[in-house]
Every structure is written in C-alpha cells, then in structure tokens.
Amino acid sequence: MTSISPPLLDASVLPMVELLALCLDGHLYRVGDAFATVETPDGPELRAHAFALSAPGWTVADRGSAAWIHGTRASPPPVPQVCVPPNRRGRVSSPMVDACHRILKPEEAVLLGPTRVTTPLRTAVDLASMPGRFDSANALEVRHLLALAGVTPAEFDQRLRASRRMGCALARSRVPAVARATLPSPGQPPGRPPAQPPLTR
C-alpha cells in the first residue's frame, strides 16, 4: 500500500468501497465517518478532525459527539450532536446535525484540533441531565467523563446542587448510579464493561 499523507481519508479522497476494503485488509481503521491509517495514533484530536468533516465549523461538539471525541464511547452518534452559539440561533434547521441551544461559559469548551468541544465536566452534566433512559452504560460514561475532569461523584453532586441549570435535579438523582459505576482498567476500549473475574467452584 502506498503511503497517503492526509491524517484522515474519506470519500473525497478514495471511493468508499475502496476505503472499506482497505479497512477489512487491516490497512485503515474507522474514525467516525472517516478512516485513518493504522500508523496514525487514535486520540481526541484525530476524532475532533473526523467530527469537523461532518459538522459545520461554527458548531460546538456536545453530548454524545463530545463524549466520543473525549474517548468515553466507542463510536459517535449517527448524527453529530452540537451546541449552537447564540449568534446562530434561529438559523439552524438541518437534519445533518442534532442541534441543541445551550449557553456555554468560556471555560466549558476546549479547542481540539479544528473543533470546539464541551469539556468532560460539561459533557457529563449534559448527559446526566438528558431525559429518558439512564442505564449502567450511561452511568459508566458519566463516571469516565468525571475521571477525565478530575471530579469525584460527590463533588459532581455538589456542583449540581449549586447550579440553577435545567435538568440538574434529574442529574442529581442519577449520581448514586454514577458513583456505583466501575471504571475499566487502563487501556481497555471505551464502551466495554471491565473484564469479570473467572467463576470459582
């Protein structure tokens, strides 16, 4: 295989059929909707570049997209999840993005490569505040984000208690489940439960 210089490849570089074939042959691996050579190390900046290929440059990756970029889930959501800045509100209506109107403080987003992404702590707040089912996988993801932020579940509860943001009461009700979640061992891929000890007779 000849060396290809771009860090990410997509259908604008090679036909998708060829990219998938190279992936099956072990020359490439998938990064969201793009592909990278096996020599390219995976990491938040690479995933942020992949996100930038599928979302407008003025968006801020949040919720599931941010969690994927930070490495707490194995794959991105089917549609990029983004936070819309105030100057763009009222002008966003696209099936290509799952847009959410939230106010972000300057310290609640970081720049990774070309993409602004909600911080692990802000992402944890957003995911814990979302209505709907919150199972053990969700709790583990929030726990992982808190670990990246250097915040314990107890400190997370205190921050939620002091906040007036919508959904914080719901998020606080989920803190016990987050506290019970066991983080995987170092090096274990995200989205998989930690290995269970063998059964003894």
Side-chain angles (χ1 to χ4, degrees):
M1 177 183 171
T2 57
S3 62
I4 306 173
S5 56
L8 285 171
L9 310 175
D10 60 13
S12 68
V13 179
L14 290 172
M16 184 59 69
V17 172
E18 190 171 342
L19 290 169
L20 290 171
L22 290 169
C23 195
L24 287 173
D25 289 341
H27 297 295
L28 302 177
Y29 66 94
R30 194 146 198 167
V31 187
D33 292 332
F35 298 82
T37 63
V38 292
E39 295 83 11
T40 304
D42 188 18
E45 275 207 25
L46 186 69
R47 292 189 289 271
H49 275 87
F51 171 87
L53 295 175
S54 59
W58 45 263
T59 59
V60 180
D62 73 348
R63 293 168 289 157
S65 291
W68 172 65
I69 291 171
H70 288 305
T72 61
R73 64 172 60 182
S75 58
V79 178
Q81 294 182 334
V82 303
C83 181
V84 180
N87 63 335
R88 289 279 180 169
R89 290 177 188 176
R91 291 187 280 168
V92 178
S93 179
S94 170
M96 303 303 292
V97 294
D98 176 0
C100 191
H101 296 164
R102 290 190 172 100
I103 296 174
L104 291 178
K105 298 176 182 177
E107 67 272 16
E108 292 180 323
V110 294
L111 187 65
L112 293 174
T115 303
R116 289 187 69 216
V117 186
T118 54
T119 63
L121 181 57
R122 176 59 199 250
T123 306
V125 172
D126 290 340
L127 294 179
S129 303
M130 288 176 62
R133 186 180 179 191
F134 190 83
D135 58 19
S136 58
N138 300 124
L140 179 59
E141 181 170 56
V142 172
R143 182 68 185 268
H144 195 166
L145 287 163
L146 293 180
L148 291 177
V151 174
T152 67
E155 291 168 337
F156 185 51
D157 183 66
Q158 291 173 359
R159 288 169 183 262
L160 292 170
R161 186 194 301 270
S163 175
R164 296 183 179 179
R165 185 177 294 147
M166 282 185 60
C168 282
L170 176 61
R172 285 196 65 216
S173 72
R174 293 165 168 174
V175 170
V178 172
R180 289 193 298 269
T182 303
L183 288 173
S185 56
Q188 187 169 351
R192 297 185 184 179
Q196 297 298 314
L199 293 174
T200 55
R201 302 195 177 195

